[in-house]
mmCIF file of all heavy atoms in Angstrom:
data_model
loop_
_atom_site.group_PDB
_atom_site.id
_atom_site.type_symbol
_atom_site.label_atom_id
_atom_site.label_comp_id
_atom_site.label_asym_id
_atom_site.label_seq_id
_atom_site.Cartn_x
_atom_site.Cartn_y
_atom_site.Cartn_z
ATOM 1 N N PRO A 313 113.474 88.109 57.487
ATOM 2 C CA PRO A 313 114.795 88.663 57.315
ATOM 3 C C PRO A 313 115.916 87.627 57.268
ATOM 4 O O PRO A 313 117.066 87.930 56.943
ATOM 5 C CB PRO A 313 114.953 89.560 58.539
ATOM 6 C CG PRO A 313 113.608 89.734 59.117
ATOM 7 C CD PRO A 313 112.894 88.487 58.800
ATOM 8 N N LEU A 314 115.631 86.388 57.609
ATOM 9 C CA LEU A 314 116.667 85.359 57.720
ATOM 10 C C LEU A 314 117.023 84.828 56.342
ATOM 11 O O LEU A 314 116.117 84.553 55.509
ATOM 12 C CB LEU A 314 116.240 84.230 58.637
ATOM 13 C CG LEU A 314 115.864 84.641 60.044
ATOM 14 C CD1 LEU A 314 115.440 83.436 60.845
ATOM 15 C CD2 LEU A 314 117.027 85.353 60.722
ATOM 16 N N PRO A 315 118.300 84.636 56.058
ATOM 17 C CA PRO A 315 118.708 84.125 54.747
ATOM 18 C C PRO A 315 118.270 82.691 54.479
ATOM 19 O O PRO A 315 118.180 81.895 55.427
ATOM 20 C CB PRO A 315 120.242 84.241 54.753
ATOM 21 C CG PRO A 315 120.582 84.210 56.213
ATOM 22 C CD PRO A 315 119.453 84.875 56.926
ATOM 23 N N GLU A 316 118.040 82.375 53.246
ATOM 24 C CA GLU A 316 117.564 81.016 52.889
ATOM 25 C C GLU A 316 118.533 79.923 53.262
ATOM 26 O O GLU A 316 118.093 78.852 53.771
ATOM 27 C CB GLU A 316 117.246 80.984 51.382
ATOM 28 C CG GLU A 316 116.450 79.783 50.963
ATOM 29 C CD GLU A 316 115.032 79.790 51.553
ATOM 30 O OE1 GLU A 316 114.500 80.888 51.824
ATOM 31 O OE2 GLU A 316 114.444 78.700 51.743
ATOM 32 N N PRO A 317 119.851 80.086 53.118
ATOM 33 C CA PRO A 317 120.779 79.007 53.526
ATOM 34 C C PRO A 317 120.650 78.659 55.006
ATOM 35 O O PRO A 317 120.815 77.525 55.376
ATOM 36 C CB PRO A 317 122.166 79.597 53.179
ATOM 37 C CG PRO A 317 121.888 80.581 52.112
ATOM 38 C CD PRO A 317 120.555 81.187 52.433
ATOM 39 N N LEU A 318 120.398 79.687 55.857
ATOM 40 C CA LEU A 318 120.209 79.406 57.257
ATOM 41 C C LEU A 318 118.936 78.637 57.515
ATOM 42 O O LEU A 318 118.912 77.662 58.292
ATOM 43 C CB LEU A 318 120.218 80.726 58.031
ATOM 44 C CG LEU A 318 119.972 80.628 59.560
ATOM 45 C CD1 LEU A 318 121.154 79.928 60.252
ATOM 46 C CD2 LEU A 318 119.718 81.973 60.157
ATOM 47 N N LEU A 319 117.825 79.053 56.893
ATOM 48 C CA LEU A 319 116.558 78.403 57.060
ATOM 49 C C LEU A 319 116.615 76.926 56.595
ATOM 50 O O LEU A 319 116.011 76.049 57.196
ATOM 51 C CB LEU A 319 115.461 79.142 56.317
ATOM 52 C CG LEU A 319 115.186 80.577 56.785
ATOM 53 C CD1 LEU A 319 114.172 81.235 55.908
ATOM 54 C CD2 LEU A 319 114.699 80.599 58.249
ATOM 55 N N ASN A 320 117.368 76.686 55.520
ATOM 56 C CA ASN A 320 117.449 75.325 54.969
ATOM 57 C C ASN A 320 118.177 74.360 55.898
ATOM 58 O O ASN A 320 118.011 73.158 55.789
ATOM 59 C CB ASN A 320 118.181 75.339 53.608
ATOM 60 C CG ASN A 320 117.336 76.012 52.536
ATOM 61 O OD1 ASN A 320 116.099 76.072 52.663
ATOM 62 N ND2 ASN A 320 117.979 76.478 51.465
ATOM 63 N N ARG A 321 118.989 74.892 56.790
ATOM 64 C CA ARG A 321 119.773 74.026 57.706
ATOM 65 C C ARG A 321 119.025 73.771 59.041
ATOM 66 O O ARG A 321 119.553 73.074 59.910
ATOM 67 C CB ARG A 321 121.127 74.646 57.976
ATOM 68 C CG ARG A 321 122.088 74.564 56.826
ATOM 69 C CD ARG A 321 123.302 75.487 57.039
ATOM 70 N NE ARG A 321 124.378 75.226 56.062
ATOM 71 C CZ ARG A 321 124.376 75.686 54.819
ATOM 72 N NH1 ARG A 321 123.338 76.397 54.374
ATOM 73 N NH2 ARG A 321 125.364 75.394 54.014
ATOM 74 N N CYS A 322 117.862 74.368 59.213
ATOM 75 C CA CYS A 322 117.184 74.294 60.490
ATOM 76 C C CYS A 322 115.778 73.730 60.386
ATOM 77 O O CYS A 322 115.129 73.873 59.330
ATOM 78 C CB CYS A 322 117.109 75.664 61.153
ATOM 79 S SG CYS A 322 118.700 76.471 61.415
ATOM 80 N N THR A 323 115.299 73.109 61.455
ATOM 81 C CA THR A 323 113.904 72.759 61.585
ATOM 82 C C THR A 323 113.151 73.986 62.137
ATOM 83 O O THR A 323 113.610 74.591 63.117
ATOM 84 C CB THR A 323 113.727 71.592 62.528
ATOM 85 O OG1 THR A 323 114.404 70.459 61.997
ATOM 86 C CG2 THR A 323 112.238 71.236 62.708
ATOM 87 N N ILE A 324 112.076 74.374 61.525
ATOM 88 C CA ILE A 324 111.339 75.547 61.913
ATOM 89 C C ILE A 324 110.046 75.113 62.645
ATOM 90 O O ILE A 324 109.238 74.359 62.061
ATOM 91 C CB ILE A 324 110.973 76.453 60.700
ATOM 92 C CG1 ILE A 324 112.264 76.908 60.049
ATOM 93 C CG2 ILE A 324 110.166 77.669 61.185
ATOM 94 C CD1 ILE A 324 112.023 77.686 58.747
ATOM 95 N N LEU A 325 109.898 75.543 63.894
ATOM 96 C CA LEU A 325 108.718 75.211 64.672
ATOM 97 C C LEU A 325 107.989 76.499 65.056
ATOM 98 O O LEU A 325 108.611 77.406 65.568
ATOM 99 C CB LEU A 325 109.110 74.428 65.927
ATOM 100 C CG LEU A 325 109.874 73.122 65.698
ATOM 101 C CD1 LEU A 325 110.287 72.513 67.030
ATOM 102 C CD2 LEU A 325 109.042 72.122 64.935
ATOM 103 N N ARG A 326 106.687 76.514 64.849
ATOM 104 C CA ARG A 326 105.873 77.673 65.212
ATOM 105 C C ARG A 326 105.177 77.420 66.539
ATOM 106 O O ARG A 326 104.396 76.452 66.638
ATOM 107 C CB ARG A 326 104.884 77.990 64.106
ATOM 108 C CG ARG A 326 105.547 78.543 62.841
ATOM 109 C CD ARG A 326 104.612 78.719 61.662
ATOM 110 N NE ARG A 326 105.277 79.419 60.590
ATOM 111 C CZ ARG A 326 106.072 78.835 59.700
ATOM 112 N NH1 ARG A 326 106.286 77.544 59.760
ATOM 113 N NH2 ARG A 326 106.635 79.550 58.766
ATOM 114 N N MET A 327 105.489 78.250 67.529
ATOM 115 C CA MET A 327 104.961 78.036 68.841
ATOM 116 C C MET A 327 103.667 78.824 69.060
ATOM 117 O O MET A 327 103.329 79.736 68.273
ATOM 118 C CB MET A 327 106.012 78.494 69.870
ATOM 119 C CG MET A 327 107.412 77.951 69.624
ATOM 120 S SD MET A 327 107.467 76.141 69.511
ATOM 121 C CE MET A 327 107.042 75.738 71.187
ATOM 122 N N LYS A 328 102.930 78.474 70.098
ATOM 123 C CA LYS A 328 101.645 79.141 70.402
ATOM 124 C C LYS A 328 101.714 79.857 71.730
ATOM 125 O O LYS A 328 102.646 79.718 72.502
ATOM 126 C CB LYS A 328 100.543 78.102 70.416
ATOM 127 C CG LYS A 328 100.672 77.114 71.578
ATOM 128 C CD LYS A 328 99.442 76.183 71.663
ATOM 129 C CE LYS A 328 99.524 75.299 72.944
ATOM 130 N NZ LYS A 328 98.319 74.517 73.106
ATOM 131 N N GLU A 329 100.702 80.692 71.966
ATOM 132 C CA GLU A 329 100.604 81.396 73.252
ATOM 133 C C GLU A 329 100.351 80.398 74.374
ATOM 134 O O GLU A 329 99.868 79.294 74.168
ATOM 135 C CB GLU A 329 99.459 82.400 73.170
ATOM 136 C CG GLU A 329 99.638 83.533 72.188
ATOM 137 C CD GLU A 329 100.444 84.688 72.797
ATOM 138 O OE1 GLU A 329 100.926 84.546 73.934
ATOM 139 O OE2 GLU A 329 100.675 85.677 72.110
ATOM 140 N N ILE A 330 100.668 80.803 75.607
ATOM 141 C CA ILE A 330 100.378 79.978 76.752
ATOM 142 C C ILE A 330 98.927 80.192 77.167
ATOM 143 O O ILE A 330 98.497 81.307 77.314
ATOM 144 C CB ILE A 330 101.283 80.353 77.951
ATOM 145 C CG1 ILE A 330 102.749 80.362 77.548
ATOM 146 C CG2 ILE A 330 101.083 79.374 79.111
ATOM 147 C CD1 ILE A 330 103.720 80.754 78.633
ATOM 148 N N ASP A 331 98.199 79.096 77.338
ATOM 149 C CA ASP A 331 96.845 79.197 77.832
ATOM 150 C C ASP A 331 96.829 79.541 79.297
ATOM 151 O O ASP A 331 97.752 79.173 80.051
ATOM 152 C CB ASP A 331 96.107 77.868 77.607
ATOM 153 C CG ASP A 331 95.913 77.516 76.100
ATOM 154 O OD1 ASP A 331 95.815 78.487 75.325
ATOM 155 O OD2 ASP A 331 95.905 76.335 75.776
ATOM 156 N N LEU A 332 95.764 80.220 79.688
ATOM 157 C CA LEU A 332 95.689 80.681 81.107
ATOM 158 C C LEU A 332 95.738 79.533 82.108
ATOM 159 O O LEU A 332 96.418 79.640 83.130
ATOM 160 C CB LEU A 332 94.416 81.505 81.294
ATOM 161 C CG LEU A 332 94.290 82.304 82.596
ATOM 162 C CD1 LEU A 332 95.479 83.237 82.748
ATOM 163 C CD2 LEU A 332 92.983 83.059 82.639
ATOM 164 N N PRO A 333 95.048 78.389 81.853
ATOM 165 C CA PRO A 333 95.168 77.273 82.810
ATOM 166 C C PRO A 333 96.612 76.785 83.009
ATOM 167 O O PRO A 333 96.999 76.370 84.083
ATOM 168 C CB PRO A 333 94.253 76.196 82.190
ATOM 169 C CG PRO A 333 93.279 76.979 81.359
ATOM 170 C CD PRO A 333 94.046 78.135 80.807
ATOM 171 N N ASP A 334 97.373 76.771 81.894
ATOM 172 C CA ASP A 334 98.785 76.329 81.998
ATOM 173 C C ASP A 334 99.570 77.340 82.838
ATOM 174 O O ASP A 334 100.446 76.900 83.619
ATOM 175 C CB ASP A 334 99.400 76.241 80.603
ATOM 176 C CG ASP A 334 98.882 75.054 79.815
ATOM 177 O OD1 ASP A 334 98.498 74.066 80.467
ATOM 178 O OD2 ASP A 334 98.859 75.124 78.565
ATOM 179 N N LEU A 335 99.266 78.610 82.736
ATOM 180 C CA LEU A 335 99.978 79.597 83.530
ATOM 181 C C LEU A 335 99.674 79.421 85.034
ATOM 182 O O LEU A 335 100.553 79.539 85.872
ATOM 183 C CB LEU A 335 99.598 81.011 83.088
ATOM 184 C CG LEU A 335 100.305 81.596 81.895
ATOM 185 C CD1 LEU A 335 99.742 82.963 81.549
ATOM 186 C CD2 LEU A 335 101.823 81.673 82.131
ATOM 187 N N ILE A 336 98.426 79.115 85.334
ATOM 188 C CA ILE A 336 98.013 78.921 86.732
ATOM 189 C C ILE A 336 98.726 77.722 87.324
ATOM 190 O O ILE A 336 99.206 77.755 88.458
ATOM 191 C CB ILE A 336 96.484 78.806 86.820
ATOM 192 C CG1 ILE A 336 95.840 80.160 86.430
ATOM 193 C CG2 ILE A 336 96.055 78.386 88.232
ATOM 194 C CD1 ILE A 336 94.295 80.078 86.349
ATOM 195 N N VAL A 337 98.771 76.615 86.546
ATOM 196 C CA VAL A 337 99.464 75.444 87.026
ATOM 197 C C VAL A 337 100.939 75.711 87.248
ATOM 198 O O VAL A 337 101.534 75.339 88.260
ATOM 199 C CB VAL A 337 99.261 74.268 86.056
ATOM 200 C CG1 VAL A 337 100.161 73.076 86.417
ATOM 201 C CG2 VAL A 337 97.788 73.838 85.949
ATOM 202 N N LEU A 338 101.561 76.422 86.320
ATOM 203 C CA LEU A 338 102.971 76.733 86.477
ATOM 204 C C LEU A 338 103.214 77.645 87.679
ATOM 205 O O LEU A 338 104.180 77.441 88.419
ATOM 206 C CB LEU A 338 103.507 77.416 85.217
ATOM 207 C CG LEU A 338 104.989 77.738 85.190
ATOM 208 C CD1 LEU A 338 105.588 77.444 83.827
ATOM 209 C CD2 LEU A 338 105.241 79.204 85.557
ATOM 210 N N ALA A 339 102.320 78.631 87.881
ATOM 211 C CA ALA A 339 102.479 79.559 89.039
ATOM 212 C C ALA A 339 102.391 78.785 90.353
ATOM 213 O O ALA A 339 103.175 79.017 91.272
ATOM 214 C CB ALA A 339 101.397 80.630 88.984
ATOM 215 N N ARG A 340 101.461 77.845 90.407
ATOM 216 C CA ARG A 340 101.336 77.045 91.650
ATOM 217 C C ARG A 340 102.577 76.176 91.878
ATOM 218 O O ARG A 340 103.103 76.105 93.008
ATOM 219 C CB ARG A 340 100.077 76.171 91.555
ATOM 220 C CG ARG A 340 99.827 75.360 92.856
ATOM 221 C CD ARG A 340 98.544 74.548 92.749
ATOM 222 N NE ARG A 340 97.345 75.402 92.621
ATOM 223 C CZ ARG A 340 96.663 75.528 91.490
ATOM 224 N NH1 ARG A 340 97.007 74.792 90.419
ATOM 225 N NH2 ARG A 340 95.593 76.301 91.434
ATOM 226 N N ARG A 341 103.065 75.514 90.830
ATOM 227 C CA ARG A 341 104.231 74.654 91.000
ATOM 228 C C ARG A 341 105.472 75.474 91.314
ATOM 229 O O ARG A 341 106.267 75.098 92.216
ATOM 230 C CB ARG A 341 104.442 73.853 89.719
ATOM 231 C CG ARG A 341 105.591 72.851 89.836
ATOM 232 C CD ARG A 341 105.745 72.007 88.564
ATOM 233 N NE ARG A 341 106.077 72.832 87.395
ATOM 234 C CZ ARG A 341 105.265 72.984 86.378
ATOM 235 N NH1 ARG A 341 104.088 72.402 86.332
ATOM 236 N NH2 ARG A 341 105.623 73.757 85.368
ATOM 237 N N GLU A 342 105.693 76.590 90.630
ATOM 238 C CA GLU A 342 106.871 77.437 90.871
ATOM 239 C C GLU A 342 106.839 78.045 92.281
ATOM 240 O O GLU A 342 107.850 78.140 92.949
ATOM 241 C CB GLU A 342 106.964 78.506 89.792
ATOM 242 C CG GLU A 342 108.147 79.403 89.916
ATOM 243 C CD GLU A 342 109.494 78.720 89.686
ATOM 244 O OE1 GLU A 342 109.508 77.606 89.134
ATOM 245 O OE2 GLU A 342 110.515 79.323 90.055
ATOM 246 N N GLY A 343 105.631 78.454 92.688
ATOM 247 C CA GLY A 343 105.512 79.028 94.026
ATOM 248 C C GLY A 343 105.832 78.033 95.108
ATOM 249 O O GLY A 343 106.498 78.365 96.101
ATOM 250 N N GLN A 344 105.380 76.806 94.951
ATOM 251 C CA GLN A 344 105.696 75.762 95.940
ATOM 252 C C GLN A 344 107.170 75.446 95.914
ATOM 253 O O GLN A 344 107.783 75.180 96.949
ATOM 254 C CB GLN A 344 104.862 74.533 95.641
ATOM 255 C CG GLN A 344 103.368 74.714 95.867
ATOM 256 C CD GLN A 344 102.533 73.553 95.380
ATOM 257 O OE1 GLN A 344 103.019 72.687 94.637
ATOM 258 N NE2 GLN A 344 101.258 73.511 95.746
ATOM 259 N N ALA A 345 107.790 75.441 94.697
ATOM 260 C CA ALA A 345 109.224 75.138 94.630
ATOM 261 C C ALA A 345 110.042 76.189 95.295
ATOM 262 O O ALA A 345 111.114 75.975 95.844
ATOM 263 C CB ALA A 345 109.624 75.041 93.143
ATOM 264 N N ARG A 346 109.538 77.439 95.298
ATOM 265 C CA ARG A 346 110.229 78.525 96.014
ATOM 266 C C ARG A 346 110.001 78.538 97.497
ATOM 267 O O ARG A 346 110.601 79.323 98.236
ATOM 268 C CB ARG A 346 109.785 79.868 95.411
ATOM 269 C CG ARG A 346 110.160 80.108 93.979
ATOM 270 C CD ARG A 346 109.801 81.531 93.570
ATOM 271 N NE ARG A 346 110.042 81.788 92.179
ATOM 272 C CZ ARG A 346 110.124 83.027 91.644
ATOM 273 N NH1 ARG A 346 109.992 84.083 92.432
ATOM 274 N NH2 ARG A 346 110.356 83.194 90.343
ATOM 275 N N GLY A 347 109.098 77.711 97.941
ATOM 276 C CA GLY A 347 108.814 77.640 99.368
ATOM 277 C C GLY A 347 107.900 78.764 99.836
ATOM 278 O O GLY A 347 107.912 79.099 101.023
ATOM 279 N N LEU A 348 107.093 79.325 98.971
ATOM 280 C CA LEU A 348 106.168 80.355 99.356
ATOM 281 C C LEU A 348 105.023 79.823 100.173
ATOM 282 O O LEU A 348 104.660 78.622 100.040
ATOM 283 C CB LEU A 348 105.596 81.087 98.109
ATOM 284 C CG LEU A 348 106.611 81.855 97.230
ATOM 285 C CD1 LEU A 348 105.874 82.469 96.032
ATOM 286 C CD2 LEU A 348 107.285 82.947 98.061
ATOM 287 N N ALA A 349 104.468 80.637 101.029
ATOM 288 C CA ALA A 349 103.332 80.243 101.823
ATOM 289 C C ALA A 349 102.137 79.966 100.913
ATOM 290 O O ALA A 349 102.014 80.528 99.818
ATOM 291 C CB ALA A 349 102.980 81.351 102.821
ATOM 292 N N GLU A 350 101.268 79.083 101.384
ATOM 293 C CA GLU A 350 100.119 78.710 100.577
ATOM 294 C C GLU A 350 99.242 79.919 100.271
ATOM 295 O O GLU A 350 98.682 80.045 99.186
ATOM 296 C CB GLU A 350 99.288 77.649 101.330
ATOM 297 C CG GLU A 350 98.107 77.080 100.506
ATOM 298 C CD GLU A 350 98.576 76.377 99.240
ATOM 299 O OE1 GLU A 350 99.664 75.797 99.257
ATOM 300 O OE2 GLU A 350 97.847 76.458 98.217
ATOM 301 N N ALA A 351 99.169 80.867 101.215
ATOM 302 C CA ALA A 351 98.357 82.076 100.986
ATOM 303 C C ALA A 351 98.935 82.905 99.836
ATOM 304 O O ALA A 351 98.182 83.466 99.012
ATOM 305 C CB ALA A 351 98.301 82.888 102.268
ATOM 306 N N SER A 352 100.272 82.992 99.793
ATOM 307 C CA SER A 352 100.883 83.748 98.709
ATOM 308 C C SER A 352 100.659 83.101 97.363
ATOM 309 O O SER A 352 100.359 83.764 96.368
ATOM 310 C CB SER A 352 102.389 83.867 98.962
ATOM 311 O OG SER A 352 102.661 84.577 100.155
ATOM 312 N N VAL A 353 100.819 81.792 97.307
ATOM 313 C CA VAL A 353 100.574 81.065 96.063
ATOM 314 C C VAL A 353 99.111 81.219 95.635
ATOM 315 O O VAL A 353 98.845 81.459 94.426
ATOM 316 C CB VAL A 353 100.920 79.572 96.216
ATOM 317 C CG1 VAL A 353 100.600 78.791 94.937
ATOM 318 C CG2 VAL A 353 102.391 79.396 96.571
ATOM 319 N N TRP A 354 98.196 81.123 96.582
ATOM 320 C CA TRP A 354 96.784 81.280 96.259
ATOM 321 C C TRP A 354 96.493 82.679 95.713
ATOM 322 O O TRP A 354 95.704 82.824 94.760
ATOM 323 C CB TRP A 354 95.930 81.038 97.498
ATOM 324 C CG TRP A 354 94.457 81.200 97.261
ATOM 325 C CD1 TRP A 354 93.584 80.258 96.816
ATOM 326 C CD2 TRP A 354 93.703 82.408 97.454
ATOM 327 N NE1 TRP A 354 92.319 80.763 96.678
ATOM 328 C CE2 TRP A 354 92.367 82.083 97.065
ATOM 329 C CE3 TRP A 354 93.989 83.666 97.883
ATOM 330 C CZ2 TRP A 354 91.333 83.034 97.131
ATOM 331 C CZ3 TRP A 354 92.981 84.634 97.914
ATOM 332 C CH2 TRP A 354 91.666 84.301 97.574
ATOM 333 N N SER A 355 97.121 83.713 96.259
ATOM 334 C CA SER A 355 96.895 85.085 95.825
ATOM 335 C C SER A 355 97.329 85.246 94.351
ATOM 336 O O SER A 355 96.610 85.907 93.555
ATOM 337 C CB SER A 355 97.654 86.061 96.696
ATOM 338 O OG SER A 355 97.184 86.019 98.033
#
Side-chain angles (χ1 to χ4, degrees):
L314 302 180
E316 195 64 28
L318 177 68
L319 297 175
N320 289 339
R321 286 167 170 79
C322 302
T323 299
I324 300 173
L325 301 176
R326 289 173 172 83
M327 311 305 293
K328 66 173 186 176
E329 295 276 3
I330 308 178
D331 294 331
L332 193 57
D334 288 332
L335 278 177
I336 294 174
V337 172
L338 183 140
R340 183 178 296 110
R341 184 177 62 246
E342 181 67 15
Q344 292 172 348
R346 296 186 183 197
L348 294 179
E350 186 62 33
S352 298
V353 176
W354 179 87
S355 298

